[in-house]
Amino acid sequence: MMTVFVADRCVLAPASAFEITVETAEHVVAREMLLDRQMGPKRRLKSSEKLRRSRRPAEGLALSAVDGEGKLVGTVRLWNIAAGVDADGKAIPALLLGPLAVDASAEGMGIGSRLMRAAIARARDLGHGAILLVGDAPYYERFGFSSGPAGALAMPGPVDRSRFLALELVDNHLAGAAGVLVATGRRVLERRDFRRAA
């Protein structure tokens, strides 16, 4: 099967295409179902989830892959964090990537790679300095991620150090960074229960 790239679409067969778009409200339920299918219920117990819980994704950095029929087939989000502090004790702004997931029915079509490249490009265009993630090094190294820049940083929970990776979008953005990652993004407003007193 030949792959043809046209603008933001990757055509894999005449009737099959997908597009990378900014996530919409209509994608949220499908996204959660996709993550549950691909990652299972234990996904909410990961150290990365501690940084995402009760937070909104970074502005403009929640992306969806949608097929030609409008079905969500892939997702990635980036989250605002402080990547430890510098030598003067000042927090270093960065992004945490994840989760990245592709529907099993669409695996092998390059959707994950396209989502990653789009997320990195958008983060760079928006002026962010670095992206961190927890993932398989052999997969993420192709996008420029490595464990080196994350060497003196830590997740807020257990993590396999070989899977804790970073990509500097600005040279030396994480130079001297040390400490535990902290969530800094916009909080999700909690629903309040306004019941009338009896």
Side-chain angles (χ1 to χ4, degrees):
M1 185 179 324
M2 187 166 80
T3 302
V4 180
F5 292 94
V6 181
D8 275 338
R9 300 180 77 181
C10 173
V11 181
L12 298 160
S16 175
F18 71 88
E19 182 178 4
I20 306 298
T21 68
V22 173
E23 183 181 281
T24 67
E26 291 79 25
H27 297 157
V28 174
V29 171
R31 176 188 182 279
E32 290 303 309
M33 291 171 59
L34 168 61
L35 294 175
D36 285 343
R37 283 192 311 273
Q38 296 303 102
M39 300 180 172
K42 290 187 178 182
R43 72 182 175 91
R44 291 184 173 87
L45 303 176
K46 295 182 177 183
S47 295
S48 298
E49 187 62 26
K50 292 178 182 180
L51 296 167
R52 297 189 285 258
R53 193 172 295 129
S54 301
R55 301 285 176 165
R56 295 186 183 278
E59 191 70 37
L61 291 171
L63 304 178
S64 297
V66 181
D67 70 12
E69 297 175 1
K71 176 187 171 191
L72 182 82
V73 292
T75 178
V76 68
R77 285 176 164 183
L78 290 95
W79 309 79
N80 297 105
I81 58 166
V85 296
D86 63 17
D88 297 324
K90 183 178 176 186
I92 299 173
L95 296 167
L96 178 73
L97 186 141
L100 167 69
V102 175
D103 190 79
S105 67
E107 287 178 357
M109 296 182 180
I111 294 172
S113 293
R114 294 269 298 158
L115 280 166
M116 281 299 298
R117 293 185 201 294
I120 292 167
R122 287 182 69 86
R124 185 176 279 118
D125 290 347
L126 291 170
H128 293 281
I131 302 172
L132 292 100
L133 60 81
V134 177
D136 296 329
Y139 179 81
Y140 291 104
E141 285 171 349
R142 74 178 94 172
F143 307 108
F145 286 85
S146 68
S147 58
L153 295 169
M155 292 291 290
V159 68
D160 178 347
R161 290 299 304 181
S162 68
R163 294 172 47 83
F164 188 35
L165 310 172
L167 169 65
E168 291 179 305
L169 304 174
V170 173
D171 288 343
N172 300 312
H173 185 77
L174 297 175
V180 178
L181 272 56
V182 175
T184 60
R186 302 166 295 154
R187 290 191 175 274
V188 173
L189 297 177
E190 294 179 16
R191 290 177 52 191
R192 296 177 193 238
D193 191 2
F194 295 104
R195 291 190 183 143
R196 231 183 280 185

